[in-house]
Amino acid sequence: MLARSIWAVLAGIAAGIVLAIGSDMTLRAAGIFAPLGQPMANPLFVIAAVYRTVYGVLGSYLTARLAPFRPMTQALVLGFLGLISNVAGTIATWDRGPDFGPKWYPLSLVVLAIPSAWLGAKVNERWPAASRA
């Protein structure tokens, strides 16, 4: 049971990371986002915050869906891990200059980590039981 719980959380983490990095790379390749190491316009950080939040919901939904028990708790564990990593990223980049974006951007990710996880678990709760078979 514990191994399946860990797997559920790791699957949610992997989904979020792959989707976020894939979106970043795609938007850079399309010329929408600036290349790595170059400043990006503030409105583009809104786009990044939105898709990262959506991916947080999707990753938490996946974790809750795969969880062998207490799906909300396991999704919130994922949210807490996201919160910790976002706080660490915020601290690490706080005064590093415009290449790391406006200060509201990492703060938005910190604030939205737990609500995204909760929403992903709620979506899982509302999914019709018949479709789980």
Side-chain angles (χ1 to χ4, degrees), residues 62-125:
L62 179 62
T63 293
R65 183 89 167 162
L66 296 174
F69 63 95
R70 294 191 208 163
M72 176 64 78
T73 299
Q74 292 181 49
L76 289 174
V77 165
L78 176 63
F80 181 74
L81 293 172
L83 173 70
I84 296 301
S85 68
N86 288 327
V87 166
T90 300
I91 291 168
T93 62
W94 191 252
D95 285 322
R96 302 276 309 267
D99 291 355
F100 292 93
K103 295 194 187 294
W104 63 261
Y105 173 68
L107 292 175
S108 71
L109 300 179
V110 168
V111 168
L112 293 170
I114 298 296
S116 298
W118 177 85
L119 183 58
K122 281 307 219 183
V123 169
N124 179 63
E125 285 177 7

Side-chain angles (χ1 to χ4, degrees), residues 19-48:
L19 289 169
I21 291 174
S23 294
D24 291 347
M25 291 173 59
T26 301
L27 291 169
R28 279 192 183 92
I32 297 168
F33 279 10
L36 281 174
Q38 293 185 12
M40 195 164 71
N42 279 356
L44 297 176
F45 282 98
V46 173
I47 294 169

